[in-house]
Structure formats: structure tokens, C-alpha cells
């Protein structure tokens, strides 16, 4: 009887629509006037009913008679039969009411659930400065934004040090996609917020709904994906979401402070998928880019920067775009409150006091280099199993400082040093207990931290 339904629907619909929406359906069983069909996902079932509720409902009544009910079965996790759930249809009545003013023609109207894309309207391509340090990444980003169906660069993995414009670029892609197609389901989210939402879903027993929502996104943009390191359950869940979106030709865009090959503590199967599409690097801003950023920021803030001041700042603030923008804000404040003209001398004063702006980014690698230099050992020795006193002390110091100055979880620190989470926790506690009692240890940590911040 279901085959007869398909024959009728096939005669009504164009072949392409039939193949896309009805061929994936599979007959399960019918009993007590309830027909059960299998379909790929909850989102698929919702869209099927929204588009074709009239033709589907009438066909079911014609073949099965009045009062027939329809149930959908679908896996919450793609390709995982054990995660199958069932949901009811309102047939023979429409499952979803058409939007006000919508056409009654089910072949022309598609229901689109509105979501907050979380995009910053300031982060557009139009105000994204370009130079040799970011030209390739920007070109790829624009190609995706102009044609989201282009699968050559899916997924897009953007990496580079802090403050080089990764967040601006990946959000610019999302904004352009939304400009060209307001109905597109585009979502920007940080990895930390994703992990926080997942944890809350677990606590509320809402994991199925969490996964289903993310599998319905057209363009998913995740910032700071390296924050998934050490979060095994979050990685596993994202793996299934990633697979579903990729299999359905949905665009994935990710950013990280390091390339996939350096992401120790991330599942191998995830890393392999990160490399499927395009990996683009954003380098530290070159001189031309720094000048352009200064000019644009000054213009935006209504500030006139003399050429010599712009040259001085661009020559001395070299680490990141974020630092440059911070310097302009500080310069404007000093000029206003001190009632002074903007000059090279004032810029020099601002830069000399802007410790936070010029502070070196502290990461695991810089800590390892500084600690090994302080203890006069080779950096590679810290990663060995050596139990020599000086090597063991240096290794514990790396664990302690990494926990204190980086965002790395204890498990991720342990993975980098081939040690367990418990070992890292023990090392940090030992140093915490010794600190109030050992003046030399206090001095050693102070010296190492001073070098970390000033170099």
C-alpha cells in the first residue's frame, strides 16, 4: 500500500523533488491504523511535511482510508541505528501550520525557523583590511560566502596566532551569506559556548535536542576550536554533528590558534576531517596591513593620525591587529584628557605604558622554552621520562605555569607531556603547597614569569 502511495506521489511531483524528498523514506510497518516510516532526520521530517503535507495527507487517506496516522523514525546521531527515536505526524491534518500570508501551494513554500546567528555586524568584508599576510584566507572566505554550495573549501579551517583577524574573517563569511540569503540558517559560536551548551544539555537530558538543532544548521561557524582539546564527550558529539552537516553539503567553518597537525589531545578522526577541505593560515600582520588597520580604526573613531605617528605605531606594535586597535583607543584617551595634540612623543608615552597591549602571548610552547632556559636544560628533555632532579623540577614548573597562564585543561597539559591528568594535578598542588614555605621557589617563579611577560 505504501508503494501505491509512492506511485501516486511520483506522478504528481517533478522527478527531482520526488527523488530528494520521498526516495529516502523507507516503510517500517503499519498496525492499528498507524503507518511508520523511516527518514534521515527530524529536520527532514519537519521539512517534508511543511513542503508536501497536502499531497502526502491526501494520498495517505486515499490508500489507507480516513483516520490513518503517520509516525516517523529517525536516528538522532547520523548512521547510528541505536539512537533511533520516533515522532508523530499530525496527518491527515497538516503537521505544521503555514506562516501567515504563505501560499497554499506546498511546492513553493518552505518553512524556515528563525535563529539568532550571533554575528557581529561590524565584522564585514568591507572593513576587513587585506595584505599578503591574509590575502589567501580572505579570497577563500569570499568564495565560500558568494557561493555556499561550493564544496571545494568545506570544511574551512582558519588558523593563526591571537589577534590576527580570524574571528573577523569567519564572521564576515557568515554575514555575506546572510546578506545573500536571509533564510539561511547561519550560526556563529565559540567552542567554549558550544561545550557549555552541551554540558547543560547532558544535565537536563536534552542531548538529542541539542544534536538535532546543530544538525539543522546550514553554515556552522565555530571559533577557537582548540578549546575542544581534552573534552572527549564534546569531541564525540561534535564528530557526529560534523559528519551529518558534511554529508548534507552544509558548510563548516572553524578557527584555531594552531593548525590541525599541532592539536594534540584532539581525536584523530576529527583531525582527519578538519583537513578534508581547506586549511588557511593568517600570519602576523605585516607593515602595510598594520598601517591600513590604524588608518581605518582612526577614521572610525574620528581621530586624525599624523603620518609620522602612524608610522611609529605600525613599526613598534607588530604582534596583532587587536593591539593596534587598543593603542588607537589609548592614544585618543590620552590626547583628550591631557588636552594634547597627537604626536610621536605622546604615542611613545602611550606605548611605554601599554604593558598589556605589548605583553607577549603566553602559551605552552613559550612556557616550555622559558623554563628549560631557566633550568639550563634542552627543551626536549622535559618531554622525556627522565627522573633527574633538574628535569623533574622543570617538568613540574611547566605544568604549574601552563595551568596558571593558559586556557589549557589539565588533561590537555598532560597529553602534551605524555603524563596523566592526575600527574599534572599532583604537580600543581605540590608547587602550591611549597610556595608559601620556600622563598627561592617564589623567586624562581617570579623570574620565569617576568621573562615570559617581557620577552
Amino acid at each position: 500500500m505504501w508503494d501505491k502511495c509512492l506511485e501516486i506521489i511520483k506522478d504528481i511531483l517533478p522527478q527531482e523533488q520526488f527523488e530528494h524528498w520521498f526516495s529516502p523514506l523507507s516503510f517500517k510497518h503499519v498496525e492499528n491504523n498507524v503507518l511508520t516510516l523511516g527518514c534521515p532526520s527530524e529536520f527532514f521530517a519537519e521539512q517534508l511535511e511543511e513542503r508536501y503535507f497536502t499531497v502526502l495527507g491526501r494520498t495517505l487517506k486515499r490508500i489507507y482510508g480516513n483516520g490513518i496516522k503517520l509516525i516517523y523514525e529517525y536516528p538522532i546521531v547520523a548512521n547510528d541505528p541505536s539512537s533511533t527515536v520516533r515522532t508523530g505526524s499530525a496527518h491527515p491534518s497538516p503537521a505544521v501550520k503555514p506562516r501567515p500570508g504563505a501560499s497554499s501551494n506546498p511546492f513553493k513554500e518552505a518553512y524556515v525557523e528563525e535563529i539568532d546567528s550571533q554575528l557581529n555586524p561590524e565584522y564585514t568584508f568591507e572593513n576587513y583590511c587585506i595584505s599578503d599576510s591574509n590575502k589567501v584566507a580572505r579570497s577563500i572566505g569570499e568564495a565560500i560566502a558568494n557561493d555556499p554550495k561550493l564544496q571545494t573549501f568545506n570544511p574551512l579551517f582558519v588558523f593563526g596566532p591571537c589577534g590576527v583577524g580570524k574571528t573577523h574573517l569567519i564572521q564576515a563569511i557568515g554575514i555575506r551569506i546572510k546578506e545573500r540569503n536571509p533564510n539561511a540558517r547561519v550560526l556563529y559560536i565559540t567552542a567554549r559556548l558550544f561545550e557549555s551548551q552541551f554540558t547543560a544539555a547532558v544535565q537536563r537530558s536534552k542531548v538529542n535536542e541539542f544534536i538535532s538543532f546543530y544538525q539543522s544548521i546550514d553554515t556552522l561557524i565555530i571559533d577557537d576550536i582548540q578549546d575542544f582539546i581534552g573534552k572527549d564527550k564534546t569531541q564525540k558529539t561534535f564528530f557526529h554533528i560534523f559528519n551529518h552537516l558534511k554529508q548534507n553539503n552544509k558548510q563548516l567553518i572553524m578557527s584555531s590558534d594552531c593548525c590541525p597537525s599541532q592539536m594534540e589531545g584532539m581525536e584523530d578522526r576529527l583531525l582527519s576531517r578538519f583537513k578534508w577541505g581547506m586549511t588557511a593560515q593568517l600570519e602576523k600582520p605585516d607593515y602595510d596591513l598594520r598601517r591600513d588597520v590604524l588608518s581605518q580604526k582612526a577614521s572610525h573613531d574620528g581621530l586624525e593620525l599624523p603620518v609620522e605617528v602612524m608610522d611609529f605605531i605600525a613599526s613598534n606594535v607588530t604582534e596583532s591587529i587587536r593591539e593596534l586597535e587598543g593603542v588607537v583607543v589609548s592614544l585618543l584617551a590620552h590626547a583628550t584628557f591631557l588636552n594634547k595634540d597627537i604626536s610621536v612623543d605622546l604615542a611613545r608615552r602611550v606605548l611605554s605604558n601599554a604593558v598589556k597591549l605589548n605583553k607577549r602571548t603566553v602559551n605552552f610552547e613559550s612556557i616550555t622554552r622559558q623554563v628549560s632556559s631557566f633550568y639550563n636544560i634542552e627543551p626536549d628533555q622535559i618531554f622525556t621520562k627522565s627522573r633527574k632532579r633538574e628535569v623533574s623540577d622543570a617538568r613540574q614548573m611547566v605544568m604549574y605555569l601552563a595551568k596558571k597562564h593558559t586556557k589549557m585543561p589539565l588533561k590537555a597539559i598532560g597529553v602534551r607531556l605524555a603524563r596523566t591528568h592526575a600527574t599534572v594535578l599532583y604537580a600543581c598542588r605540590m608547587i602550591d603547597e611549597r610556595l608559601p614555605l620556600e622563598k627561592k621557589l617564589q623567586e624562581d617563579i617570579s623570574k620565569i614569569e617576568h621573562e615570559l611577560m617581557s620577552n
Side-chain angles (χ1 to χ4, degrees):
M1 295 174 72
W2 172 243
D3 287 341
K4 290 181 180 179
C5 290
L6 291 178
E7 290 176 4
I8 294 173
I9 295 171
K10 190 173 184 179
D11 287 337
I12 297 173
L13 297 182
Q15 181 178 353
E16 184 179 355
Q17 293 184 29
F18 178 86
E19 292 294 331
H20 184 76
W21 289 104
F22 288 89
S23 291
L25 298 177
S26 60
F27 174 83
K28 296 296 183 180
H29 52 79
V30 58
E31 56 185 36
N32 298 326
N33 217 26
V34 177
L35 170 66
T36 301
L37 299 178
C39 69
S41 68
E42 182 183 18
F43 182 68
F44 185 97
E46 292 175 353
Q47 292 297 301
L48 174 70
E49 288 209 333
E50 174 57 21
R51 288 172 164 85
Y52 305 113
F53 67 85
T54 299
V55 65
L56 184 56
R58 290 176 178 174
T59 303
L60 291 179
K61 285 182 182 180
R62 177 177 171 182
I63 300 300
Y64 288 93
N66 290 329
I68 185 68
K69 300 295 182 183
L70 177 59
I71 294 291
Y72 295 105
E73 285 187 358
Y74 52 85
I76 289 295
V77 179
N79 301 320
D80 184 357
S82 65
S83 67
T84 297
V85 297
R86 307 176 79 211
T87 185
S89 164
H91 276 300
S93 301
V96 183
K97 294 181 179 180
R99 292 171 295 170
S103 166
S104 60
N105 186 339
F107 307 116
K108 292 185 178 180
E109 285 297 327
Y111 175 76
V112 179
E113 178 188 355
E114 291 290 338
I115 63 171
D116 183 354
S117 294
Q118 304 291 325
L119 295 167
N120 185 337
E122 296 291 325
Y123 289 155
T124 66
F125 280 116
E126 286 71 26
N127 59 22
Y128 186 82
C129 298
I130 188 170
S131 76
D132 290 339
S133 62
N134 62 15
K135 184 181 297 183
V136 173
R138 179 197 163 110
S139 298
I140 293 170
E142 284 197 288
I144 293 172
N146 293 333
D147 184 8
K149 295 182 180 179
L150 180 68
Q151 293 297 301
T152 307
F153 305 125
N154 191 20
L156 173 62
F157 191 99
V158 179
F159 74 96
C162 179
V164 295
K166 301 187 298 293
T167 298
H168 189 151
L169 176 62
I170 61 179
Q171 289 207 41
I173 299 172
I175 289 173
R176 178 70 62 80
I177 291 174
K178 288 291 289 183
E179 288 174 349
R180 290 175 174 265
N181 179 12
N183 290 328
R185 291 170 62 81
V186 178
L187 179 64
Y188 165 85
I189 190 169
T190 64
R192 288 211 165 197
L193 181 55
F194 180 96
E195 198 273 334
S196 177
Q197 290 177 351
F198 171 68
T199 301
V202 172
Q203 294 171 347
R204 298 197 305 267
S205 299
K206 298 288 186 179
V207 174
N208 287 351
E209 289 88 341
F210 174 85
I211 294 175
S212 180
F213 168 75
Y214 276 95
Q215 287 182 337
S216 74
I217 303 300
D218 295 324
T219 300
L220 179 59
I221 306 171
I222 297 191
D223 211 350
D224 295 322
I225 196 78
Q226 76 277 355
D227 286 340
F228 282 170
I229 292 176
K231 308 294 178 61
D232 294 341
K233 292 182 179 179
T234 303
Q235 290 183 38
K236 181 178 180 180
T237 301
F238 181 66
F239 172 79
H240 292 299
I241 292 172
F242 184 106
N243 277 351
H244 178 88
L245 295 179
K246 186 69 171 67
Q247 289 169 4
N248 287 275
N249 296 324
K250 306 300 184 181
Q251 181 69 47
L252 291 117
I253 301 169
M254 297 161 286
S255 81
S256 171
D257 60 6
C258 61
C259 62
S261 61
Q262 296 177 340
M263 300 179 75
E264 298 182 23
M266 191 77 78
E267 287 192 13
D268 289 339
R269 59 180 184 171
L270 262 182
L271 293 178
S272 68
R273 280 158 176 77
F274 292 168
K275 303 172 187 176
W276 275 357
M278 182 67 194
T279 300
Q281 181 178 9
L282 288 179
E283 300 173 355
K284 289 183 179 181
D286 55 31
Y287 181 80
D288 290 338
L289 180 57
R290 298 198 296 269
R291 286 279 267 105
D292 288 345
V293 169
L294 283 170
S295 177
Q296 184 182 90
K297 177 62 177 175
S299 176
H300 181 271
D301 292 347
L303 182 67
E304 291 187 11
L305 283 183
V307 175
E308 61 274 14
V309 173
M310 201 175 299
D311 290 339
F312 175 80
I313 297 174
S315 298
N316 287 277
V317 183
T318 61
E319 290 299 310
S320 76
I321 294 171
R322 196 169 298 142
E323 288 180 357
L324 289 167
E325 293 175 341
V327 167
V328 173
V329 172
S330 297
L331 193 59
L332 177 59
H334 278 73
T336 301
F337 294 118
L338 296 177
N339 194 24
K340 289 187 175 182
D341 293 333
I342 294 176
S343 63
V344 172
D345 287 339
L346 183 61
R348 184 178 288 109
R349 177 177 176 178
V350 169
L351 292 182
S352 65
N353 293 326
V355 178
K356 291 185 179 180
L357 292 174
N358 290 314
K359 184 175 70 173
R360 180 182 178 182
T361 300
V362 177
N363 53 34
F364 185 85
E365 287 72 22
S366 63
I367 290 173
T368 303
R369 287 194 301 269
Q370 198 58 51
V371 170
S372 60
S373 175
F374 181 82
Y375 284 95
N376 197 26
I377 63 175
E378 290 296 324
D380 291 344
Q381 289 185 268
I382 292 177
F383 298 92
T384 67
K385 296 183 179 181
S386 173
R387 295 190 177 183
K388 289 182 180 180
R389 180 59 183 271
E390 63 272 19
V391 176
S392 179
D393 287 348
R395 189 181 300 119
Q396 286 195 351
M397 185 65 75
V398 168
M399 294 176 183
Y400 174 80
L401 294 176
K403 176 179 179 294
K404 182 178 179 181
H405 293 286
T406 73
K407 299 178 181 179
M408 295 175 65
L410 295 180
K411 186 172 182 179
I413 297 172
V415 169
R416 298 294 291 271
L417 294 166
R419 299 299 194 275
T420 65
H421 167 274
T423 301
V424 178
L425 183 61
Y426 174 78
C428 294
R429 284 178 177 173
M430 284 292 294
I431 292 182
D432 280 331
E433 291 174 2
R434 290 170 54 197
L435 265 177
L437 308 174
E438 300 181 25
K439 185 174 181 180
K440 185 176 186 309
L441 181 61
Q442 297 173 13
E443 293 174 349
D444 289 350
I445 291 178
S446 179
K447 291 177 182 177
I448 294 172
E449 289 181 327
H450 176 74
E451 291 300 318
L452 277 171
M453 304 305 175
S454 60
N455 283 353

